[in-house]
Amino acid sequence: MNQNDSEMKHPEFRPFNIEQLKNIPRETVVKLVLLLVLALFLAAVYARTYAKDVSLKDVDTRLVKETDCEKYQVQTARQLYQFLELNAQDYEEVLYRKSTETMSADELLIVKAKSGEDLDAVQDAVEERIRSQISVFEGYGPTQTARLKNALIYKKGRYLFYCVAKNPEKYEEVFRRAL
Amino acid sequence: MLFSSILFIFYFLPIVLAVYFLIPARFIRARNGVLLLASLIFYSWGEPVYVFLMIYSAFFNYYLALCIHEEKKKGGTGRRNLAFAVIVDLFILSFFKYYGFLMGNINHLFGLHLHYTQLALPIGISFYTFQAMSYIFDVYRGTTTVQKNPLRFALYLSLFPQLIAGPIVKYRDVAEQLDHRETTLEGFGYGASRFVFGLGKKVLLANAFGALFKSVTALPDSKLSVVTAWLGALAYTLQIYFDFSGYSDMAIGLGRMFCFEFLENFRYPYISQSVTEFWRRWHISLSSWFREYVYIPLGGNRVSVPRHLLNLLIVWGLTGLWHGASWNFVIWGLYYGVILILEKYLLRNRLEKLPAWARHLYTMVIVTIGWVFFSRDSLASAWQTIGIMFGNGAFPFADGTTFYLLRTNLILLILGIFLSSSRPIRAFRRRTEDQPIFGIICLGGILLLSTASLIFSSYNPFLYFRF
């Protein structure tokens, strides 16, 4: 069956002709490509930033259930300020657990900020905390120093996760799944 | 990367300057290449992902300006390409800046609980988007020639001295300088001294006023008083001036060091004797952008009085919204819109009859109240603070905390008020003309003190980075 037969049987059917594409002005093609690139970029940024709206109480419940994090004591807003100079009321929720042993640098902090932009200040405070803790433990606490140097900081959406522990990945894994 | 950081001042800037000036002035393309590369590194230091967005914006606006130019050459108006460019530019800005605000308002208005992710705002997006749009408008109107070299346009948009917090440089103001710049020792010296002054304003003054403001806002209600609330508002008034004008000084200074001349962004706004005058002196590049690309196309003041009032409210509502996705900023913008209308139609003659000190006091009270909307997280918090400032509620006029704060910050406040006027800088210039060594000692001292302060202080970004 040739092309004319097809058109006679189905008059509304016009077979696609690749030649028609060549008639689209180059300017229109470039604009379409630009829009496509923008859409892909925005989608990728959104997907990268997307995090479920989860209460830190729920995250803590999961952490307690699935890990041994109960060995770290929940700290108060005052202690958060004392150790990290962060004001708890500046953020939507904060979960701060810390080892009760004096000779341990282990701690776990999760901040749910009011806006993603607020996390820069939190990250800065955390990095300062790590630096200060390294200077405290360096020289007589090689294990703690090594843990501090392997501290995990992870940001997603409005959340920041920070952990110093023997295996910080196991806590991070629970946190990631919670989001 | 922050201008006011050890990394920038002692590593990034000297390396870029050395590479830039090692290339002879006649090789302007190579110098431009160094600046473009440095600008991309500077931006991507904190924004490794969003640097792509800036590159995209540069290419998109470069290409659309070419389309407008070609269409006009063929006898068309270029209007469709202009509309396409403006819509895409505003869409990108809105996606990052206003999406969360919009969703929050939809949830609030309709009682919904739609989950949304508030994206981090790419640093400087409001500034470089407005720069790109000014170029597109100017090409459409034929007030500037189209740039045919994409790298040169990318350099205009990404030039690191003014990339993050302005001034909003119009393309036509630097078009010639992209092709030809004169290198002089005087220009470099002026740029370096301007940079050091800006650094001092930010590190030594703005951060100190920021600490005072923070200590007032951290007070519980039981320790607040009328004077303490005014003290907090005054601290923020001085903080935002020294912070933003300090950044502008650094930007203009860096520009001069690389042989670019940017227009002034501040002209001692706190010496103004009316709010109208204040807005001729504060963030001049933003006011002139809105006047040229929004207010005048709307008809400006060559329309009926009701239409003129509407034009002013539109422009000031948009100015507020430009500053941030929050009702605080919209109200702040409209507050100025209303005051400027009142000054134009009702108060002008009455104000002129007042003594200079009374006009100045009136302006500063209006401006200080305005900054309360700007500094607070929510409208409720702003209204509450304004209420306390005017004695609404059971707050004492002053208490022990007030006197403690005044005692410990009085010298700082007097210094801040004095340095926000034009007198000290004029006196400095006169003295250094006669005794250059005096200028070198002063600048060296500011640099030394600022460096010491930077070493011991924590992360302290510029307030205008939020916008």
Side-chain angles (χ1 to χ4, degrees):
Chain A
M1 189 167 65
N2 62 30
Q3 189 179 320
N4 289 339
D5 295 337
S6 162
E7 283 182 24
M8 280 168 70
K9 280 184 183 170
H10 306 283
E12 75 285 1
F13 174 75
R14 292 277 185 278
F16 178 73
N17 187 347
I18 196 88
E19 289 297 309
Q20 288 172 336
L21 278 179
K22 290 181 182 168
N23 296 331
I24 300 174
R26 201 183 70 165
E27 194 182 298
T28 309
V29 175
V30 175
K31 283 180 193 166
L32 285 171
V33 170
L34 282 170
L35 285 180
L36 184 69
V37 170
L38 178 65
L40 288 173
F41 175 75
L42 296 183
V45 167
Y46 196 85
R48 183 172 158 263
T49 316
Y50 180 81
K52 273 195 290 188
D53 191 15
V54 187
S55 160
L56 290 191
K57 277 180 192 156
D58 296 342
V59 176
D60 193 39
T61 310
R62 287 181 75 158
L63 279 166
V64 169
K65 199 173 156 192
E66 296 177 35
T67 68
D68 56 353
C69 86
E70 231 175 349
K71 66 183 177 187
Y72 304 136
Q73 199 175 58
V74 175
Q75 305 290 298
T76 60
R78 197 174 158 196
Q79 284 160 321
L80 178 75
Y81 191 80
Q82 181 189 344
F83 296 122
L84 285 121
E85 289 191 22
L86 288 174
N87 205 339
Q89 64 202 35
D90 290 346
Y91 307 98
E92 197 169 308
E93 278 182 279
V94 177
L95 169 65
Y96 183 33
R97 283 180 172 273
K98 192 175 174 305
S99 170
T100 47
E101 293 171 35
T102 327
M103 286 301 293
S104 171
D106 289 5
E107 57 188 350
L108 185 152
L109 171 76
I110 306 176
V111 175
K112 183 180 180 185
K114 289 172 186 165
S115 142
E117 292 154 39
D118 298 340
L119 291 183
D120 287 342
V122 181
Q123 183 165 357
D124 194 64
V126 164
E127 284 168 1
E128 186 55 43
R129 167 76 173 161
I130 296 170
R131 271 195 295 275
S132 130
Q133 285 285 78
I134 287 174
S135 68
V136 169
F137 285 100
E138 213 159 34
Y140 72 92
T143 316
Q144 301 306 317
T145 309
R147 283 186 190 183
L148 283 160
K149 285 181 178 169
N150 288 325
L152 264 179
I153 303 174
Y154 170 68
K155 280 199 292 185
K156 193 161 174 75
R158 292 185 292 143
Y159 299 84
L160 184 141
F161 172 94
Y162 154 66
C163 183
V164 177
K166 192 178 176 186
N167 289 312
E169 295 83 6
K170 68 181 176 192
Y171 306 110
E172 190 206 9
E173 175 61 27
V174 176
F175 172 69
R176 276 181 192 261
R177 274 192 277 115
L179 297 187
Chain B
M1 201 183 299
L2 289 176
F3 288 166
S4 55
S5 68
I6 298 293
L7 176 71
F8 180 82
I9 299 167
F10 293 102
Y11 297 94
F12 184 83
L13 184 59
I15 292 170
V16 177
L17 281 171
V19 177
Y20 182 85
F21 283 108
L22 273 175
I23 300 167
R26 64 179 184 277
F27 298 117
I28 191 84
R29 284 184 181 188
R31 281 189 164 189
N32 283 349
V34 169
L35 273 183
L36 178 59
L37 187 68
S39 299
L40 295 179
I41 293 170
F42 175 84
Y43 191 81
S44 57
W45 203 266
E47 300 271 352
V49 175
Y50 289 147
V51 75
F52 174 81
L53 190 69
M54 198 184 61
I55 295 169
Y56 176 88
S57 181
F59 184 76
F60 176 82
N61 286 288
Y62 156 79
Y63 183 73
L64 262 293
L66 280 181
C67 292
I68 292 169
H69 177 70
E70 287 302 314
E71 199 185 330
K72 288 181 85 174
K73 240 171 55 178
K74 288 174 190 162
T77 60
R79 207 172 291 161
R80 270 171 52 185
N81 279 313
L82 171 78
F84 179 66
V86 171
I87 288 168
V88 172
D89 279 335
L90 290 179
F91 172 75
I92 296 172
L93 183 63
S94 308
F95 183 79
F96 286 100
K97 194 165 180 174
Y98 303 109
Y99 170 68
F101 178 57
L102 182 73
M103 292 301 289
N105 280 298
I106 288 173
N107 278 345
H108 184 73
L109 263 176
F110 301 106
L112 301 171
H113 297 283
L114 299 173
H115 175 57
Y116 61 92
T117 296
Q118 170 82 61
L119 296 164
L121 189 69
I123 289 180
I125 189 170
S126 307
F127 290 91
Y128 72 69
T129 303
F130 267 42
Q131 289 200 171
M133 281 166 59
S134 79
Y135 169 65
I136 290 286
F137 284 130
D138 285 352
V139 170
Y140 170 75
R141 296 191 306 195
T143 50
T144 192
T145 51
V146 73
Q147 175 57 261
K148 294 190 174 160
N149 184 332
L151 295 179
R152 216 165 285 175
F153 182 72
L155 174 63
Y156 154 69
L157 211 63
S158 67
L159 197 57
F160 77 86
Q162 44 78 49
L163 169 64
I164 288 174
I168 301 168
V169 178
K170 291 186 191 109
Y171 174 79
R172 62 171 189 260
D173 292 333
V174 289
E176 266 188 49
Q177 297 171 44
L178 291 168
D179 296 329
H180 176 75
R181 297 190 288 281
E182 203 175 327
T183 311
T184 62
L185 202 58
E186 287 77 16
F188 186 87
Y190 174 80
S193 62
R194 192 78 192 262
F195 179 82
V196 173
F197 267 125
L199 182 70
K201 275 183 173 178
K202 163 66 185 163
V203 178
L204 303 176
L205 293 169
N207 288 356
F209 287 114
L212 173 59
F213 173 67
K214 209 172 170 183
S215 58
V216 172
T217 52
L219 287 173
D221 281 1
S222 60
K223 291 201 168 178
L224 275 176
S225 68
V226 173
V227 181
T228 305
W230 275 100
L231 200 59
L234 180 63
Y236 189 80
T237 300
L238 290 165
Q239 183 195 1
I240 197 162
Y241 169 68
F242 286 116
D243 192 284
F244 193 23
S245 77
Y247 183 92
S248 291
D249 283 341
M250 283 192 249
I252 291 167
L254 284 170
R256 280 299 286 272
M257 287 163 86
F258 290 102
C259 324
F260 281 93
E261 285 191 35
F262 302 144
L263 297 176
E264 289 297 330
N265 212 17
F266 288 86
R267 284 204 179 93
Y268 311 105
Y270 291 165
I271 63 167
S272 303
Q273 297 196 356
S274 71
V275 176
T276 310
E277 187 188 348
F278 171 78
W279 277 104
R280 285 194 203 116
R281 293 173 175 273
W282 180 276
H283 204 174
I284 299 164
S285 62
L286 181 72
S287 318
S288 75
W289 196 99
F290 272 105
R291 187 171 58 248
E292 189 170 344
Y293 300 113
V294 183
Y295 180 65
I296 292 172
L298 282 172
N301 56 4
R302 294 179 177 181
V303 285
S304 63
V305 173
R307 178 65 209 222
H308 183 219
L309 301 185
L310 182 68
N311 287 352
L312 282 169
L313 290 176
I314 290 172
V315 168
W316 285 98
L318 289 175
T319 303
L321 199 60
W322 177 89
H323 281 85
S326 150
W327 285 112
N328 279 42
F329 293 114
V330 178
I331 296 294
W332 174 79
L334 291 173
Y335 164 82
Y336 275 111
V338 170
I339 288 164
L340 290 170
I341 287 170
L342 288 175
E343 279 197 358
K344 187 159 183 65
Y345 286 102
L346 289 174
L347 299 174
R348 186 191 280 174
N349 294 336
R350 288 175 203 186
L351 277 175
E352 279 169 7
K353 285 175 192 161
L354 290 175
W357 69 264
R359 290 196 302 249
H360 186 217
L361 182 68
Y362 147 82
T363 308
M364 285 316 298
V365 168
I366 297 280
V367 169
T368 305
I369 293 168
W371 290 132
V372 175
F373 290 108
F374 216 82
S375 62
R376 296 292 169 158
D377 289 343
S378 64
L379 268 181
S381 168
W383 289 124
Q384 194 199 4
T385 306
I386 291 170
I388 298 170
M389 286 162 72
F390 286 95
N392 184 21
F395 295 98
F397 182 73
D399 58 11
T401 310
T402 313
F403 291 112
Y404 169 75
L405 289 171
L406 273 173
R407 203 173 57 241
T408 49
N409 292 284
L410 194 61
I411 294 170
L412 178 71
L413 287 166
I414 292 169
L415 193 69
I417 292 166
F418 177 64
L419 290 176
S420 64
S421 72
S422 57
R423 277 181 205 163
I425 194 77
R426 276 191 203 147
F428 175 82
R429 278 188 197 139
R430 271 199 305 272
R431 183 89 187 262
T432 47
E433 273 170 23
D434 300 335
Q435 294 170 294
I437 192 75
F438 172 76
I440 294 168
I441 291 168
C442 280
L443 291 167
I446 294 171
L447 184 62
L448 195 72
L449 286 172
S450 302
T451 307
S453 178
L454 285 174
I455 289 169
F456 295 109
S457 67
S458 57
Y459 180 69
N460 225 321
F462 290 87
L463 292 176
Y464 259 69
F465 277 18
R466 292 159 57 189
F467 311 128

